[in-house]
Amino acid sequence: MESQYRKLTDSQWEAMKSSLPTDRKRLHSLRVIADTIFYVLRVGCQWRNLPQGCFPKWQLVYYYFRLWKSDGTLERLNWALNMRERRRQGKADSPSMVSIDSQSVKAGPFISQETGVDGNKKVNGRKRHVVTDTLGLVWGVVVHGANRADGALARRVVEPMKGYLHRMEKILADAAYQKGFMAWVEESLLGVELEVSSKPPGTEGFAPVRWRWVTERAFGMFSFFRRLDKDHEKTTESAESWVLWQNCQVILNRLG
């Protein structure tokens, strides 16, 4: 029965395992744990509804899901896969230009922590605030209430990257980031320019803006993973984890 579920290929696991704590034997290998997390991401089932007999107990998988977020393992895995993909496409390991934007999504039933109403988009739920490079790879994410202003929360997304994205020279954003965030960039990110660009005046509906459209494409790809069709997570930490796991899955899919 287990064979009907898509598993990590050998090449995909090779790309992952150096970023995971595989230094000791376990009853269930970390490859199986990662397989199960990706299954939940794709199918969108509740942890307790994992098919019995096909995967380890949901409590064990959830333990690793939470642990790898809290101890930084997931972020290291995401960064390692991002760098691998950039090298595969002939680019330097870290980007010199990134784009920041947010996506407002509805919150699932019984979700009350860190929610609010985005008055502009008429969405009651949360915002997924992400930084992507020009390939659309996610380098950072913060999830917060949809009522919070983009400019006020952008610092939380970018600040963890200080000292890591050493080639960063430019951040692309829309007009919502001029208030508050621009001043912080000028004071805290020496040598980094915040370039504000928006679609041409009078344009209705979606209009691609040079380089920033890749972030919109990343948001669109979230919908192909049922765990991300809306925000189903009780905690924003779990919501952030799923965004990073989705980015990892997209890169692994390209490896075959």
Side-chain angles (χ1 to χ4, degrees):
M1 184 177 181
E2 185 178 355
S3 60
Q4 65 182 297
Y5 300 111
R6 188 173 69 186
K7 302 177 184 179
L8 290 166
T9 64
D10 291 341
S11 60
Q12 290 172 338
W13 175 241
E14 284 296 319
M16 288 185 65
K17 70 178 186 179
S18 60
S19 300
L20 299 177
T22 57
D23 54 339
R24 67 179 179 85
K25 291 185 178 180
R26 295 173 170 84
L27 178 61
H28 295 283
S29 74
L30 296 188
R31 182 171 180 170
V32 174
I33 299 297
D35 268 329
T36 310
I37 292 175
F38 284 131
Y39 173 84
V40 176
L41 171 67
R42 293 190 299 267
V43 176
C45 69
Q46 296 173 316
W47 289 108
R48 290 172 174 80
N49 289 337
L50 275 173
Q52 296 183 6
C54 299
F55 300 106
K57 291 183 178 180
W58 73 265
Q59 295 94 331
L60 176 65
V61 183
Y62 182 68
Y63 165 79
Y64 280 104
F65 175 81
R66 295 282 293 173
L67 175 65
W68 289 345
K69 177 66 170 73
S70 62
D71 69 4
T73 297
L74 176 57
E75 282 76 8
R76 290 191 293 272
L77 171 64
N78 183 68
W79 281 56
L81 290 176
N82 279 348
M83 291 188 289
R84 183 187 182 99
E85 176 62 11
R86 287 182 61 85
R87 287 194 296 268
R88 191 182 71 85
Q89 300 206 29
K91 294 183 175 292
D93 284 0
S94 64
S96 60
M97 183 167 66
V98 298
S99 173
I100 186 169
D101 206 348
S102 68
Q103 177 194 41
S104 295
V105 293
K106 294 181 179 179
F110 313 114
I111 306 303
S112 59
Q113 177 186 329
E114 283 278 348
T115 61
V117 177
D118 181 342
N120 293 324
K121 298 180 180 178
K122 306 297 188 293
V123 172
N124 184 2
R126 289 174 174 163
K127 283 183 179 179
R128 297 166 179 158
H129 216 142
V130 305
V131 168
T132 65
D133 62 14
T134 56
L135 298 177
L137 305 177
V138 177
W139 289 84
V141 57
V142 170
V143 175
H144 53 79
N147 59 321
R148 306 291 297 277
D150 289 353
L153 275 296
R155 173 179 175 177
R156 284 177 51 191
V157 192
V158 176
E159 194 164 29
M161 301 180 185
K162 293 171 63 176
Y164 293 95
L165 293 187
H166 58 280
R167 297 183 65 250
M168 185 167 59
E169 298 174 355
K170 182 178 290 188
I171 302 174
L172 306 178
D174 60 26
Y177 293 87
Q178 282 184 300
K179 186 176 181 180
F181 184 57
M182 178 173 284
W184 179 80
V185 170
E186 293 173 351
E187 295 174 3
S188 304
L189 301 179
L190 299 180
V192 177
E193 173 192 359
L194 178 65
E195 180 179 299
V196 175
S197 57
S198 300
K199 62 184 180 182
T203 304
E204 296 183 1
F206 173 75
V209 179
R210 180 174 172 81
W211 293 123
R212 283 186 47 229
W213 69 270
V214 295
T215 308
E216 297 293 341
R217 183 185 65 182
F219 289 149
M221 293 179 69
F222 291 167
S223 299
F224 289 92
F225 298 84
R226 291 187 178 180
R227 193 75 185 200
L228 292 174
D229 64 347
K230 61 176 66 173
D231 197 319
H232 298 280
E233 310 307 312
K234 290 186 177 180
T235 68
T236 55
E237 291 79 12
S238 289
E240 292 163 4
S241 293
W242 285 122
V243 171
L244 296 182
W245 279 109
Q246 183 271 347
N247 186 66
C248 293
Q249 179 72 90
V250 168
I251 296 173
L252 292 170
N253 287 347
R254 296 172 184 174
L255 299 178

